[in-house]
């Protein structure tokens, strides 16, 4: 037992601790003693007490402050003074999702939830350009941002790629993204792809009279190349018409934070390819989707994939994915163990009350729920101190198609998300344009609160009718969801 890393009952409400809860089990040994080892390795110590420890260094020890051996849970308080100054997420993850995953004594080590005190929040960037800025550009405030990923995943030439973008946009779609492995391939040179997309976008905007957005994957082997790609996109596209997609797991937190800091006026799209190795609920070692999502928001991602809660092809559940979406969007929301409030706005903050007129800040069930989301979306700064961490948009993707829009929309209960359907649009028997149109029609049906079958019938919507028949036969079988649970 490394006793100095145990302090059951410590007062953790002093504002100096980042809190974490781990699902934890070992191959033997005393539960609390093994917990002290994890706590040592994830903060200031190692496997044996060292003679070089100083009283000052000791103050920076994390401590286990609560545990439940029956449920195999431990709660750890990390003095956030141990983290690299300057808002570095990579450094935090190296502490709490680093070596400990390799400790041979651990059988289970899953980081389920984290909590940031408000005093810690303003040391991190948080999002700058949000889905609301994208809505402003698209002039779309009353639907989810309905998007696609160009498929096949890879293999189209630049012009073929741009043609599919054009078809989707002319079909009424708002948002197109590169797929996560799209980069600078021989058959689709990066610069030519970007230039072709610009041409296709101009044409589609002319035909539809609507502005459109494309999310360009700028992930690369090194920062210079990543920044070159970002620069080329910025030069070639109109401001507001593009987002930067970074494969956050394979490129890492430094890439995410570099782009957040260099391009605060561009939507930063965090693709999480590879996250499953950490987040799948059956994985004994790793971290949860809500944990990944909270750190993405703290890092400043404008949007991150949060999963289809089991409606689509990827593993997921409402308990993980919807909780994560709320952690991304809300200014205050319940996590698995913590109630995270993403602001230090106090109840009698005159500016905020003034800024939103008479609405008051209301404490409900211990959470400060801002009645009007508009506070959460606006960026009230008082002498450069962030008043709160702005929201990150849930990006919902993976085996979805127009038929699955309703089951997911019912689960998330807000329109504040981006959805990207790849195969679920480009496999439409009438082609991509019809796939996009079917998607728009499916949303119209949802908004009118009419079943899509009836809506398609009544309004003689060929694209939606064909989509319903095709995807009921070929799509990922949507699990039936009752009382927010998948059955
Ligand atoms: C979806 C997708 C996305 C995954 C990511 C794919 O394509 O483009 O990368 O959804 O998963 O490559 O599979 P489809 P998540 O629409 O054709 O399934 O959003 O869960 O991170
Ligand atoms: Mg080491
Ligand atoms: Mg993809
Ligand atoms: Mg998914």
């Amino acid at each position: 037992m490394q006793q100095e890393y145990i302090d059951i009952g410590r007062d953790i409400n002093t504002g100096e601790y980042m809190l974490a809860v781990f699902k934890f089990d070992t191959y033997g040994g005393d539960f609390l003693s093994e917990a002290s080892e994890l706590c040592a390795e994830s903060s200031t110590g190692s496997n044996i007490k060292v003679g070089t420890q100083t009283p000052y260094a000791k103050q920076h020890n994390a401590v286990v402050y609560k545990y439940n051996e029956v449920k195999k849970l431990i709660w750890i308080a990390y003095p956030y003074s141990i983290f690299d100054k300057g808002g570095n997420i990579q450094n935090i993850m190296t502490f709490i999702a680093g070596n400990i995953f390799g400790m041979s004594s651990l059988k289970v080590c899953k980081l389920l939830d984290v909590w940031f005190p408000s005093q810690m929040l303003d040391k991190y960037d948080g999002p700058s350009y949000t889905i609301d800025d994208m809505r402003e550009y698209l002039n779309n405030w009353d639907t989810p941002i309905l998007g696609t990923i160009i498929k096949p995943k890879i293999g189209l030439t630049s012009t073929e790629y741009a043609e599919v973008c054009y078809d989707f946009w002319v079909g009424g779609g708002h948002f197109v993204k590169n797929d996560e492995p799209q980069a600078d391939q021989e058959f689709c040179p990066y610069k030519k792809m970007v230039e072709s997309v610009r041409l296709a976008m101009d044409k589609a905007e002319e035909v539809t009279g609507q502005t459109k957005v494309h999310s360009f994957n700028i992930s690369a082997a090194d920062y210079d190349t990543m920044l070159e790609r970002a620069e080329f996109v910025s030069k070639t596209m109109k401001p507001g018409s593009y987002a930067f997609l970074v494969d956050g797991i394979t490129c890492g937190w430094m890439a995410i934070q570099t782009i957040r800091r260099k391009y605060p006026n561009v939507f930063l799209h965090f693709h999480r390819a590879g996250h499953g190795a950490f987040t799948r609920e059956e994985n004994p070692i790793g971290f949860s989707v809500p944990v990944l999502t909270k750190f993405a928001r703290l890092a400043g991602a404008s949007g991150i994939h949060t999963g289809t809660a089991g409606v689509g092809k990827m593993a997921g559940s409402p308990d993980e994915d919807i909780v994560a979406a709320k952690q991304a969007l809300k200014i205050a929301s319940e996590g698995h163990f913590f109630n995270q409030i993403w602001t230090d706005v106090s109840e009698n903050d005159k500016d905020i009350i003034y800024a939103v007129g008479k609405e008051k800040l209301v404490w409900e069930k211990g959470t400060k729920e801002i009645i009007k989301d508009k506070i959460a979306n606006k960026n009230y700064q008082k002498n450069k101190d962030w008043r709160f961490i702005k929201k990150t948009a849930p990006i919902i993707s993976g085996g979805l198609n127009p038929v699955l829009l309703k089951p997911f929309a019912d689960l998330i209960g807000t329109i504040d998300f981006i959805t990207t359907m790849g195969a679920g649009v480009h496999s439409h028997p009438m082609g991509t344009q019809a796939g996009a149109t079917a998607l728009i029609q499916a949303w119209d049906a949802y908004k009118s609160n009419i079943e899509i079958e009836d809506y398609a019938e009544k309004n003689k919507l060929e694209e939606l009718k064909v989509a319903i028949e095709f995807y009921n036969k070929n799509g990922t079988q949507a699990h039936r969801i009752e009382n927010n649970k998948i059955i």
Side-chain angles (χ1 to χ4, degrees), residues 121-141:
L121 289 179
D122 66 5
K123 303 194 179 334
Y124 294 83
D125 298 312
S128 166
Y129 191 96
T130 72
I131 187 173
D132 291 316
D133 300 299
M134 188 185 284
R135 285 188 183 286
E136 200 74 53
Y137 180 77
L138 289 170
N139 190 24
N140 174 343
W141 292 89

Side-chain angles (χ1 to χ4, degrees), residues 390-465:
K390 290 200 280 185
K391 65 184 175 182
T392 292
I395 301 172
I396 310 302
S397 176
L400 293 180
N401 61 59
V403 170
L404 297 178
L405 188 56
K406 176 173 175 2
F408 183 79
D410 284 344
L411 269 178
I412 193 169
T414 171
I415 64 164
D416 227 6
F417 61 93
I418 297 171
T419 178
T420 57
M421 300 181 188
V425 157
H426 306 299
S427 61
H428 190 291
M430 294 161 67
T432 293
Q433 185 171 332
T437 305
L439 176 56
I440 303 298
Q441 292 165 349
W443 180 259
D444 290 345
Y446 185 74
K447 215 170 55 177
S448 334
N449 210 3
I450 301 172
E451 288 305 317
I452 49 173
E453 292 77 2
D454 305 338
Y455 191 80
E457 204 48 51
K458 209 172 105 210
N459 297 289
K460 300 191 179 13
L461 302 173
E462 196 51 23
E463 298 88 350
L464 187 54
K465 265 164 74 174

Side-chain angles (χ1 to χ4, degrees), residues 272 275 305-310 312-316 321 396-400:
R272 59 178 189 167
H275 75 96
H305 291 241
T306 49
T308 56
K313 70 184 182 188
M314 300 291 195
D321 298 354
I396 310 302
S397 176
L400 293 180

Side-chain angles (χ1 to χ4, degrees), residues 6 59-60 103 112 230 263 402 437 443 470:
I6 302 287
Q59 287 168 25
H60 295 85
M103 289 173 75
L112 297 179
Y263 297 94
T437 305
W443 180 259
F470 183 77

